[in-house]
Amino acid sequence: YGAQLVKKQDVPELYSIVESLAIKANLPMPKVYVINTEMANAFATGRNPKHAAVAVTTGIMNILNKKELEAVLAHELTHIKNYDILTGTIAATFAGAITMLARMAFFFGGGRDDDRGGAGALLLLILAPIAAVLIQLAISRSREYAADRGSAEVTGRPQDLISALEKLHGIAKARP
């Protein structure tokens, strides 16, 4: 994404927000990155809190006020605190494994002379990946709700996250 690692002197307000929120959330200070793009986005990455980073775009910094940006960053830090990036990676790996196993079952176990075996294998080939994706989406959605709650707990101002999400939704509708 062309993210640039920043230090406190580079973007003092952003860095101070992340630093303050990390202390409130009882997390080690993550690395802070800025992506130079008009697209409004923020995200967290890293396998655990000691190896984490948050990234924000210049677009989101220009759109949101300080309290809204703080709420969005608290949301991202909650993902780090809850190991959501690791959880998502594991869920995606399982979804891929289920899909691969279904394909192997179809190609190596189905389609023989027995029509029921072939039909069952075809059904497995179609339904297993759908089930895997649905499970992955359910996990992802539940982690998003938990991060929303975490943002409200860390900042003490749930209305700021609501306001930020409404702004971002409005922009996404205007510029799909």
Side-chain angles (χ1 to χ4, degrees), residues 112-125:
R112 292 195 180 107
D113 294 334
D114 180 3
D115 286 339
R116 288 187 319 188
L122 181 60
L123 192 61
L124 181 65
L125 180 67

Side-chain angles (χ1 to χ4, degrees), residues 4-176:
Q4 300 296 315
L5 179 65
V6 296
K7 301 289 181 201
K8 192 169 193 162
Q9 64 270 19
D10 300 328
V11 191
E13 187 172 23
L14 172 66
Y15 197 92
S16 293
I17 290 170
V18 175
E19 191 173 45
S20 172
L21 290 170
I23 291 167
K24 287 180 184 177
N26 197 27
L27 288 169
M29 179 66 183
K31 292 180 180 174
V32 181
Y33 288 84
V34 173
I35 302 168
N36 188 20
T37 180
E38 289 182 30
M39 184 183 359
N41 199 8
F43 60 89
T45 190
R47 66 183 183 269
N48 61 40
K50 291 180 183 174
H51 300 94
V54 292
V56 296
T57 63
T58 52
I60 202 168
M61 289 191 298
N62 292 331
I63 292 165
L64 302 181
N65 67 41
K66 182 179 179 182
K67 288 184 177 187
E68 291 165 339
L69 183 60
E70 187 177 71
V72 168
L73 288 167
H75 171 101
E76 298 306 330
L77 288 176
T78 301
H79 280 307
I80 293 168
K81 187 172 188 166
N82 293 340
Y83 292 81
D84 290 343
I85 297 94
L86 179 61
T87 302
T89 302
I90 291 168
T93 301
F94 276 121
I98 290 169
T99 300
M100 186 61 70
L101 289 172
R103 288 183 181 169
M104 287 173 54
F106 177 75
F107 290 115
F108 296 117
R112 292 195 180 107
D113 294 334
D114 180 3
D115 286 339
R116 288 187 319 188
L122 181 60
L123 192 61
L124 181 65
L125 180 67
I126 294 168
L127 294 181
I130 293 170
V133 168
L134 289 176
I135 291 167
Q136 186 180 4
L137 290 174
I139 290 169
S140 174
R141 186 68 0 229
S142 71
R143 302 317 313 144
E144 286 301 318
Y145 291 143
D148 290 346
R149 185 179 62 247
S151 172
E153 290 169 357
V154 169
T155 64
R157 299 182 318 271
Q159 190 60 40
D160 291 336
L161 183 61
I162 294 167
S163 176
L165 294 173
E166 287 173 344
K167 274 186 184 177
L168 296 171
H169 179 70
I171 290 167
K173 282 179 70 176
R175 288 187 283 169

